[in-house]
Amino acid sequence: MDLRLVPPALAAWATAALTLDTPAGWTAGIAVACLVGGVVLLAAGRPGRERRVGWLLGRFGWARASIAAVLLCVAAAAASAGLHGADVRRGPVPELARRYATVTAEVEMSGDPWLSRPRVHGDHAAPTAVLARAEVRRVEQSDGTSVSMRTPVLLVVDADVRAPEGRAARSGRSPAERGVTRSAARGGQGTRAAWLGLLPSTRLRVNGRLAPPLTGGDRTAAVLRVRGRPGPQIVAGPSGQQRLAGRLRAGLREATDGLPGDARALLPGLVVGDTSRITPELDEAFKDTDLAHTLAVSGSNLTVLLALLIGPPGLAQQVERRGLAPRLGLSLRATALAAGVLTLGFVIVSRPDPSVLRAAACGAIALLALATGRRRSLVPALATAVLLLVLYDPWLARSYGFVLSVLATGALLVLAPGWSEALRRRRVPPRLAEALAAA
């Protein structure tokens, strides 16, 4: 088993997790020190230099490249984490949030909106709100100044319509007043649906109040609370790929309209991670039965799509390869290119969650090996995927979903084959042994 890429990947992962909220001076120092150390070790390995750098490096030359790789990956992770962490701290938004300032901002949606759960604290019930990840692109302060930026925030939209409280108030209302309340409630539901229907990359103009984030160490610089009425003020629509993804997700929801309620809500979630129809009660039931992970799109969904195109991976480089690609007359490289486009479309439609990104990165590396004709090793592919993803988005290093996805995939690659072989030695049928080992 080739484990040479595992230490650099783990070192980069740990560095990114620790340096996201570290002061800039410390992060820069770590990056520079590790970069210099890695370059020195690589330079010491040139012919004729081992005698000049000492007996120790010459004696343990086999470890020099590995240590240099770890140091260089740590330097790259520290630099990437420092830049991403600075996005949360710089600009006027954090200071405005500490002052609970009211601002007019232009924000860009960076994810699908979702509904918060109703919470009850004593005799107070927190209303249901629409939540969304967004980036503040421009903010106008009370003095009229306008500043451009790119700061991540959590958008909280209060789209509820509250009826008068108390039995006396309800019983004392006239029919006309009750009709107005019902119309307001219907209007509130329509407003909520308008906010929930927004696609990523949509730009909005909102008026709201900034507040500090609820927890530290997150990629959110502030909480921006806005009023949902009369509805979202759209400045620019979503991008072309997001509109296409939205149409595909909407088409899947329409195709399930004839199913019973729970099935109508679950099928889009199981296929593409669209949980917009899942009620809080159904979500709670899945958590109580430890089945919430089935609603998270993972590598199995991507495997089904790629298997339809490529066929069994073991036959991909043989004449007897299967799937749609040979029937369409695609060459091996064209098949890998088409599978790469399919993988990119899968990420856009299913949204770039940690498990989706990990599966897509592993799949892309395997497709590259397929196109170049080289034999692939799955453990180095997983390590390379972890390294590239942590460098691309250091916040994944603190994501529980990413941790669980990588651990599950690593266990399938490292532990499951031995367990399956042990079961077969005990006269368990081969396919059943593989299924039990994987589970």
Side-chain angles (χ1 to χ4, degrees), residues 188 305 429:
L305 290 178

Side-chain angles (χ1 to χ4, degrees), residues 1 4 8 42 48 63 70 177 179 193 206 227 245 256 259 270 291 305 318 340 355 364 397 402 412 416:
M1 187 176 298
R4 289 176 295 176
L42 290 178
V70 169
E177 291 172 335
V206 298
R227 295 190 63 84
T256 60
L259 297 177
L270 296 172
L291 291 174
L305 290 178
Q318 301 181 13
S355 60
F402 186 68
L412 288 173

Side-chain angles (χ1 to χ4, degrees), residues 226-395:
V226 303
R227 295 190 63 84
R229 307 298 298 273
Q233 184 180 352
I234 298 177
V235 176
S239 60
Q241 60 265 27
Q242 291 296 343
R243 285 197 299 268
L244 177 59
R247 285 197 294 268
L248 292 174
R249 291 164 74 98
L252 180 58
R253 289 193 298 269
E254 293 175 3
T256 60
D257 284 340
L259 297 177
D262 286 350
R264 185 169 61 249
L266 288 174
L267 186 57
L270 296 172
V271 176
V272 295
D274 184 0
T275 59
S276 58
R277 287 179 171 179
I278 294 181
T279 62
E281 294 78 13
L282 185 59
D283 183 56
E284 191 67 28
F286 265 70
K287 290 184 177 180
D288 290 341
T289 54
D290 289 338
L291 291 174
H293 63 280
T294 59
L295 299 179
V297 177
S298 62
S300 59
N301 303 60
L302 180 60
T303 300
V304 172
L305 290 178
L306 295 181
L308 291 174
L309 179 65
I310 300 176
L315 301 178
Q317 294 181 339
Q318 301 181 13
V319 179
E320 299 84 0
R321 64 191 183 108
R322 303 172 188 172
L324 294 176
R327 297 186 179 184
L328 297 175
L330 298 179
S331 64
L332 197 60
R333 293 188 177 181
T335 300
L337 180 61
V341 174
L342 184 63
T343 301
L344 179 61
F346 174 78
V347 173
I348 294 175
V349 173
S350 300
R351 306 300 189 236
D353 291 330
S355 60
V356 177
L357 289 176
R358 191 270 313 153
C362 289
I365 294 170
L367 292 173
L368 180 62
L370 179 67
T372 57
R374 297 182 179 181
R375 296 183 61 185
R376 62 185 182 274
S377 180
L378 295 179
V379 172
L382 177 61
T384 304
V386 170
L387 178 61
L388 295 179
L389 289 174
V390 167
L391 294 179
Y392 171 73
D393 185 4
W395 292 104

Side-chain angles (χ1 to χ4, degrees), residues 94-153:
E95 176 60 29
L96 292 172
R98 284 190 288 269
R99 295 193 279 113
Y100 293 90
T102 300
V103 297
T104 299
E106 182 177 320
V107 301
E108 180 176 325
M109 306 287 290
S110 54
D112 291 305
W114 73 93
L115 277 178
S116 67
R117 291 187 177 186
R119 297 171 181 256
V120 178
H121 300 281
D123 59 351
H124 175 70
T128 302
V130 177
L131 308 178
R133 298 280 183 181
E135 288 184 346
V136 176
R137 292 303 186 90
R138 182 182 298 273
V139 63
E140 299 176 7
Q141 305 181 48
S142 56
D143 57 358
T145 58
S146 178
V147 183
S148 298
M149 67 199 70
R150 188 166 185 168
T151 305
V153 297

Side-chain angles (χ1 to χ4, degrees), residues 37-54 57-58 60-62 64-65 68:
V39 172
V40 167
L41 285 177
L42 290 178
R46 292 183 178 180
R49 293 208 176 172
E50 290 187 358
R51 287 191 294 264
R52 281 179 280 175
V53 298
L57 287 179
F60 298 97
W62 58 270
R64 182 175 53 247

